[in-house]
Amino acid sequence: MVALVTGAQQGIGRACALALAGAGHDVAVNWLDDEEAAEAVAAGIRAAGRRALLVRGDVGTAAGCAAIVAAAMAGLGPPDVLVNNAGIFPRIPFLEMAEAEWDRVLDVNLKGSAFCAQAVARALVAAGKPGCIINLASAAVRGTPVGVHYSATKNGVVGITRSMALALAEHRIRVNAIAPGLTDTAQPRYGNTEEELAAMGAAVPLGRMGRPEDIAGLAAFLASDAAEWITGQVYHINGGSYMP
């Protein structure tokens, strides 16, 4: 079994890559700007007895997505599992947002998810193999005042998840989404102090921020045979802070 995880050099992507390795997958680790961190993830995968492949690339263009998937296929074979994790969240007030900022967030978060999924699905269909695509949405589907562009992409991820699930069901390719709440990664530290983060975590009904491993556990389940009749779903993991 082969998995491709985008944005796997840190945070939720890193945890998903390691969880999938623990579940028996060889893993292609997509990274962009921190080779040392990516190498550490690869070392963890190899320590679990699985093959690891580093694939540098930017998911912000369709060509970049195709190149990432092609490199993963050349090194490990067609991915049975894709985790669309790569994403950016530059905070900016709506009234100050520029077109270029809007475009970049949509390119990485939404277009990247769609075209990585398309490239993997094409490879699976050509090989006559079933597969699993897991998209990372966010609790930001409910909105955030400094992330109108980000919320737009994550609501879009929910939409493409449902539509791709319908489009790919005949090929036995399942598509689901995970929508994390406040999770202890680099992202919430952008613009927040440790004291503010502690207060935010304490406000969660279960009393803490999420951990990347909380998200990765569900990703590993959705990639497993135990989830073979699950598609088109959005799973909110947030300690009870948002109940849609």
Side-chain angles (χ1 to χ4, degrees):
M1 297 185 291
V2 175
L4 166 61
V5 182
T6 67
Q9 67 191 36
Q10 63 181 355
I12 291 172
R14 175 185 182 278
C16 286
L18 295 175
L20 288 166
H25 292 78
D26 298 326
V27 185
V29 176
N30 165 244
W31 65 285
L32 180 62
D33 55 10
D34 191 340
E35 185 173 12
E36 183 177 355
E39 288 282 8
V41 178
I45 293 165
R46 295 180 185 119
R50 308 308 307 180
R51 294 183 297 162
L53 176 72
L54 294 185
V55 181
R56 187 177 189 181
D58 186 346
V59 303
T61 67
C65 293
I68 290 166
V69 174
M73 290 176 60
L76 297 175
D80 305 281
V81 177
L82 167 66
V83 179
N84 270 319
N85 168 77
I88 56 174
F89 184 2
R91 276 75 164 170
I92 186 166
F94 176 59
L95 296 180
E96 299 173 15
M97 185 185 301
E99 182 179 6
E101 292 163 330
W102 168 274
D103 288 347
R104 179 58 180 163
V105 174
L106 263 70
D107 283 348
V108 172
N109 295 6
L110 187 55
K111 182 163 69 176
S113 294
F115 281 94
C116 281
Q118 183 191 65
V120 167
R122 284 175 171 172
L124 288 169
V125 171
K129 297 175 60 178
C132 171
I133 296 169
I134 301 167
N135 298 320
L136 267 294
S138 170
V141 294
R142 64 180 173 173
T144 173
V146 292
V148 171
H149 47 2
Y150 182 78
S151 294
T153 65
K154 294 306 182 178
N155 277 280
V157 164
V158 170
I160 66 171
T161 295
R162 292 169 175 159
S163 294
M164 289 192 300
L166 294 173
L168 298 174
E170 65 178 294
H171 302 292
R172 296 179 300 147
I173 300 171
R174 299 178 296 105
V175 188
N176 293 289
I178 301 174
L182 178 69
T183 306
D184 191 5
T185 66
Q187 190 182 96
R189 286 183 167 75
Y190 180 81
N192 292 298
T193 65
E194 289 298 319
E195 292 75 15
E196 289 169 333
L197 287 171
M200 292 161 65
V204 173
L206 287 182
R208 65 169 175 84
M209 289 194 289
R211 304 182 184 101
E213 293 74 19
D214 295 324
I215 315 306
L218 179 56
F221 167 73
L222 289 173
S224 74
D225 290 342
E228 68 176 0
W229 209 53
I230 299 174
T231 196
Q233 305 305 307
V234 181
Y235 292 90
H236 289 266
I237 303 181
N238 53 50
S241 59
Y242 175 48
M243 302 180 186

